[in-house]
Structure formats: C-alpha cells, structure tokens
Amino acid sequence: DSGVTQTPKHLITATGQRVTLRCSPRSGDLSVYWYQQSLDQGLQFLIQYYNGEERAKGNILERFSAQQFPDLHSELNLSSLELGDSALYFCASSVVAEPTDTQYFGPGTRLTVL
Amino acid sequence: TQLLEQSPQFLSIQEGENLTVYCNSSSVFSSLQWYRQEPGEGPVLLVTVVTGGEVKKLKRLTFQFGDARKDSSLHITAAQPGDTGLYLCAGGRGGADGLTFGKGTHLIIQP
C-alpha cells in the first residue's frame, strides 16, 4: 500500500460523457502527478500540481483538466470522452517536486469508454 | 517519439537463470528510476540512480546508470517466479516535469 488512494477503481461510461477521477496523496506529500497508461503508449505524464498550483504539463489533451484543492487532494476531469481515452489513469505523489523525488503511485482508475 | 527505449519487450526464462534488461535514450536525464508493476496495480519504485556510472544493488537486482546518464540496465541474478512483472524505467529531468517512462519489459520467470 503506497498511501495514495484513487477513486473510483473502475469506471465505465459512454462516448461524449464527462467523468471525474479523484486522488488523495500520501500524508505530507505536496506534489501530485497524473499519468495515463495505455497498451500502445505506455505510461504518459499528463500534469503535475504542487501545493495547489499547476507545476508542469505533459501530454494532456485540451478536453482534460485537473486541479489540486487546499487539502491537497486532486481531481482529473475528462470530458467529451472518446473510445481512445479508455486507459488506466494513475495518480502519484511526492514530498516536493524534484525529479529525483520518489513518486508513490496509487492503484489507478480503469476507465472504459463504450 | 519514445524517449526511453526498453529492451527486450518480452522475456520468459527459467527459474535460476540470470537476465539483463536495458533502458536506452539519446537524451540525458538527471535521474533514472526503475519501477516494477504487477497487473491491476500501480508501479512500485525499486531504485533511483542519479550519478553517471552509479551502481546500486538490491538483493539479487543490480542497477547501473550509464556514464553519460543516457542509459541504464537492470540485472537479475538467479531469477525467481516472484520476480515476474512489468519492469519500467523512467527518466527525470531538472526542474518541474513528470517522469518519462519507457514502455517496459514484461518478465516471466517460469518455475
């Protein structure tokens, strides 16, 4: 158990819909990262928040957005869903935001778009 | 463009054998991390290497960071069925950024 929690564990929805994925970082961690894992692309970095502020952006689509709240939990919002958005979405947290920091990954949310 | 290339993509060997998996890039990274992921779970960090030429050992696992900090290897001695999993390398850069992951090596150790 990494200490990072993600809900829901599974999500099945239809094309065109909007969903919200939730992540609670480890106690004391200020930085939250979101990743997408698909069979063909592997793990891709989407976005990072540090202490409530957006810190870095990766391969995140404009249809996707995220935020980190004052209690440091984070939400990833996916809208106008397409079949290709089906993937595992992982949240990770670290104490600060250095590249050598250990990132602790949650168990993931499996999104299926039908 | 995949910045980190892992090889082999799949590897199936017998218990007791040795193996090496590779992680190569044309880019320089400030750190290189190795993760292991089991089905239905998130990646779990095995090791972080930060210095060119650095070698770290974790029981039967030996990790090496290339002198130029562009590549890394993971060597497993006397592999056991419990080593089965997806091994991922990930590079970190200076400043704010997420990790760049390779696509992984699927390792199966047969009893």
Side-chain angles (χ1 to χ4, degrees), chain A residues 24-36:
Chain A
S24 292
R26 291 188 326 150
S27 177
D29 285 359
L30 299 178
S31 197
V32 169
Y33 307 77
W34 285 98
Y35 292 86
Q36 179 193 59

Side-chain angles (χ1 to χ4, degrees), chain A residues 29-93:
Chain A
D29 285 359
L30 299 178
S31 197
V32 169
Y33 307 77
W34 285 98
Y35 292 86
Q36 179 193 59
Q37 187 175 37
S38 61
L39 284 174
D40 56 339
Q41 293 292 323
L43 259 170
Q44 299 272 313
F45 166 65
L46 297 179
I47 197 164
Q48 176 198 4
Y49 278 81
Y50 176 72
N51 205 19
E53 300 285 328
E54 183 184 303
R55 184 75 184 259
K57 263 186 173 180
N59 301 319
I60 189 166
L61 300 172
E62 286 191 9
R63 300 183 285 108
F64 297 180
S65 64
Q67 53 184 329
Q68 186 179 28
F69 295 86
D71 67 352
L72 301 178
H73 90 272
S74 178
E75 292 181 356
L76 179 67
N77 301 294
L78 315 177
S79 61
S80 302
L81 285 168
E82 302 175 359
L83 295 177
D85 297 327
S86 294
L88 269 168
Y89 290 84
F90 287 103
C91 164
S93 73

Side-chain angles (χ1 to χ4, degrees), chain B residues 59-106:
Chain B
K59 297 183 180 177
R60 294 175 294 102
L61 279 60
T62 301
F63 305 85
Q64 184 163 7
F65 201 11
D67 291 341
R69 290 186 290 133
K70 293 182 179 181
D71 54 83
S72 181
S73 64
L74 158 59
H75 181 79
I76 301 179
T77 303
Q80 299 177 1
D83 296 328
T84 293
L86 175 65
Y87 288 80
L88 297 159
C89 67
R93 302 180 188 277
D97 207 350
L99 294 171
T100 300
F101 279 85
K103 288 191 177 181
T105 293
H106 294 264

